[in-house]
Amino acid sequence: MKKITTVLLMLLISLCFVLSGCSAPLTMPNEYTNVVSNGGFVVGAGDFAYVANAYQSYSNLTTKADNNGKKVAQYSINRTQLNVENPNQTYFSYLQTEDGTASFDLVLNKIAGYETSNMYVVGEYLYFTTPNVHKNKQNEYEFNLSTLYRVKLNGTDLKEIYTTKASDAKFYLTGNENKQLLIFDDETIKVLDVYNKSTSVKNLIKDDVKVDDVIFPATEEQALTYVYFTAEKENTLISGNRLCQLNITTGRIENEKALANNTFKLLAYNYGTVFFVVTGNTDSDGLYSATAETFVNGGVRHRYSTDTTSLVYVKDASHSVDCFVFIYDNKPYIQLISQTNDNQAVKLNDHSATLQFVDGTYVYYSTSEGIYKISVIGREALQISDMTEFDSKKMDFDGRYVYFFAKGEGQETETKYLYRADSFITEEDEIKTECFSKLLEKDIPEEDNEEE
């Protein structure tokens, strides 16, 4: 494959622009109920894509003004108009102006690209999380917490909804007809009924249970009946924890697992199957999976090893694929869901990999050398981006493009702007990585400024 570091010389001209003001209110998108890529930090609503323009760690914030107003600058929420001639298109093709550029509008001066990025479109509203700017009782800022807001898609009617009490809070938008936003925070699971425009966050779990961790599905908007979480044992004199199956309609724990001295660690949840590791007792240690039906009987043990650090589930009935890919000793391995022996796992390659997400029969992962995808059928890896100064903890996908925050070659500041890599390339194609942000003027390459 021909490789190039980036195609900034051509693509920055067409996608990256000097930051400018906003003439809100904006127009409402056409067909905004047609939503693509909900969640993460890039989401499409009709003929517009809403994006977190750049990444800003909450550790860099010092005052309220850092996340409120013009000082937010390049870290703001922006939007760009899309070419939607094909109504079935599931990825973002931006609408070009006469000079071949894309036009970005400022939606809101709030940070959306940070450690806990979440953006969802439901109805006429964009829901998003941003670093908290409220002070605690000690008169100290707690930027590590997240505040959930909603704003109309035209940039008006901003409303604060909820501020977390923990820095590791998780959010998930369900895909049933009556959409709900599930929130794991403050040792419980909460719910916001976004389907009826409610702004009241309430506890979902009706029992007095302290939740240690919860696993939400890895893909967007699944219709859910259950979620799974870990909590301390009711008998605290026995070490370990318990694994619980929660019915999100009733808020009741329907089943749970608890063994003396055993600890459960949740790894993945997708297509109705939850994966977890059990440690503490050699008779039951290992990697397991369970469906709603098999959970009560203990599920299936696939591996006796407990060293799995991350995992993604790959299931595609049209290709008769049912397997999981996991990281062991920093390397990616594959194993069929039907296999129950450690020796049946096959190493895919020698990349020191970080698993990212699954699309169909492809698993996407990152290394220190860039971003790759690998087919679980052909098992050949294809590099789709060779940018190296990127954030491997935050990635998004619209069905074709992989979005991530990175520092461009020759860039003057340390800002990590939003980039995207084209996953549709083949072995014969050049890598296609492009900036998808407004740039500070000082970060636009001199060659591009000369041409303007």
Side-chain angles (χ1 to χ4, degrees):
M1 176 193 298
K2 297 178 182 179
K3 294 184 179 180
I4 54 175
T5 303
T6 61
V7 289
L8 283 175
L9 293 181
M10 294 299 295
L11 292 165
L12 280 176
I13 300 174
S14 63
L15 285 176
C16 300
F17 293 84
V18 181
L19 289 163
S20 60
C22 174
S23 56
L26 305 170
T27 59
M28 288 293 290
N30 295 315
E31 305 295 335
Y32 56 76
T33 56
N34 179 22
V35 180
V36 177
S37 185
N38 235 353
F41 44 86
V42 178
V43 57
D47 57 348
F48 280 92
Y50 292 76
V51 305
N53 191 69
Y55 182 90
Q56 176 68 294
S57 172
Y58 60 69
S59 63
N60 293 330
L61 306 182
T62 57
T63 70
K64 180 178 181 179
D66 290 334
N67 192 20
N68 188 31
K70 292 183 179 180
K71 196 174 179 180
V72 178
Q74 69 268 35
Y75 306 106
S76 302
I77 300 175
N78 293 325
R79 79 177 192 180
T80 187
Q81 193 167 6
L82 301 174
N83 183 353
V84 290
E85 291 182 356
N86 180 1
N88 297 318
Q89 187 168 291
T90 59
Y91 57 87
F92 302 146
S93 174
Y94 65 89
L95 186 66
Q96 296 184 2
T97 60
E98 290 183 358
D99 60 357
T101 64
S103 176
F104 286 88
D105 294 318
L106 173 64
V107 178
L108 198 65
N109 273 316
K110 287 288 186 183
I111 296 168
Y114 71 114
E115 285 83 348
T116 313
S117 298
N118 299 277
M119 292 175 62
Y120 311 93
V121 171
V122 181
E124 59 185 347
Y125 289 100
L126 173 70
Y127 294 80
F128 67 95
T129 56
T130 187
N132 163 57
V133 295
H134 300 299
K135 288 185 176 181
N136 59 22
K137 294 180 179 180
Q138 290 73 43
N139 202 35
E140 299 170 332
Y141 286 112
E142 294 182 295
F143 298 115
N144 61 316
L145 306 182
S146 290
T147 299
L148 174 68
Y149 285 87
R150 80 174 188 189
V151 65
K152 279 191 175 179
L153 296 172
N154 63 359
T156 66
D157 195 22
L158 178 67
K159 182 176 181 58
E160 182 176 334
I161 297 176
Y162 177 78
T163 296
T164 67
K165 294 180 174 59
S167 60
D168 60 350
K170 300 178 182 180
F171 296 77
Y172 185 76
L173 180 67
T174 65
N176 48 310
E177 182 177 350
N178 293 332
K179 295 183 186 299
Q180 295 178 301
L181 189 59
L182 304 180
I183 306 170
F184 164 56
D185 180 47
D186 193 27
E187 298 184 319
T188 191
I189 301 174
K190 302 174 183 289
V191 63
L192 175 66
D193 293 329
V194 292
Y195 70 90
N196 62 9
K197 302 181 182 180
S198 173
T199 57
S200 176
V201 176
K202 55 190 178 184
N203 285 350
L204 175 62
I205 301 179
K206 298 178 181 179
D207 299 317
D208 185 17
V209 177
K210 291 185 176 181
V211 179
D212 292 329
D213 192 20
V214 66
I215 194 80
F216 292 135
T219 53
E220 63 183 64
E221 293 190 43
Q222 290 189 22
L224 297 181
T225 301
Y226 300 103
V227 295
Y228 297 85
F229 68 89
T230 55
E232 65 179 22
K233 287 186 171 73
E234 292 180 328
N235 183 353
T236 56
L237 298 178
I238 302 176
S239 64
N241 62 0
R242 56 181 171 142
L243 175 60
C244 302
Q245 181 187 62
L246 175 71
N247 187 313
I248 66 171
T249 300
T250 65
R252 296 292 182 184
I253 298 172
E254 293 194 356
N255 294 292
E256 65 176 67
K257 300 178 183 300
L259 301 171
N261 305 317
N262 272 17
T263 298
F264 297 90
K265 178 184 177 182
L266 292 162
L267 287 181
Y269 181 31
N270 219 5
Y271 309 116
T273 301
V274 60
F275 290 82
F276 54 93
V277 168
V278 180
T279 58
N281 186 323
T282 55
D283 291 334
S284 56
D285 281 2
L287 170 67
Y288 291 76
S289 74
T291 64
E293 293 74 22
T294 63
F295 182 83
V296 65
N297 295 322
V300 177
R301 178 157 56 177
H302 300 285
R303 297 178 56 78
Y304 291 90
S305 170
T306 60
D307 294 330
T308 302
T309 57
S310 63
L311 180 149
V312 291
Y313 183 30
V314 188
K315 186 175 183 179
D316 190 315
S318 63
H319 293 88
S320 301
V321 169
D322 196 7
C323 64
F324 56 93
V325 175
F326 63 97
I327 298 298
Y328 174 74
D329 193 26
N330 295 322
K331 305 298 188 296
Y333 284 76
I334 185 171
Q335 187 167 332
L336 298 180
I337 193 72
S338 59
Q339 293 175 338
T340 58
N341 188 298
D342 289 15
N343 296 327
Q344 293 172 311
V346 177
K347 185 165 66 171
L348 291 174
N349 54 49
D350 285 319
H351 289 169
S352 293
T354 299
L355 297 178
Q356 296 293 345
F357 59 89
V358 174
D359 179 49
T361 60
Y362 284 92
V363 174
Y364 289 75
Y365 65 89
S366 59
T367 74
S368 60
E369 297 180 349
I371 303 170
Y372 297 77
K373 71 174 185 178
I374 187 168
S375 168
V376 297
I377 299 175
R379 303 188 183 182
E380 291 292 331
L382 176 65
Q383 187 171 17
I384 64 171
S385 176
D386 55 6
M387 294 191 74
T388 56
E389 294 191 58
F390 67 95
D391 187 344
S392 63
K393 295 181 180 179
K394 305 300 296 182
M395 286 195 185
D396 207 345
F397 186 62
D398 69 2
R400 174 171 181 170
Y401 295 97
V402 179
Y403 295 82
F404 56 96
F405 298 103
K407 179 182 175 183
E409 184 179 7
Q411 182 180 308
E412 184 173 330
T413 72
E414 295 299 315
T415 302
K416 288 186 176 180
Y417 292 101
L418 182 63
Y419 283 76
R420 70 179 190 176
D422 191 351
S423 71
F424 280 14
I425 63 172
T426 68
E427 285 285 350
E428 303 303 318
D429 297 325
E430 292 181 338
I431 290 173
K432 299 176 183 177
T433 304
E434 57 187 11
C435 180
F436 204 65
S437 300
K438 294 179 182 178
L439 293 184
L440 289 172
E441 185 172 6
K442 65 179 68 175
D443 286 332
I444 298 178
E446 293 182 5
E447 294 86 348
D448 296 348
N449 281 322
E450 291 174 358
E451 294 183 19
E452 292 180 348

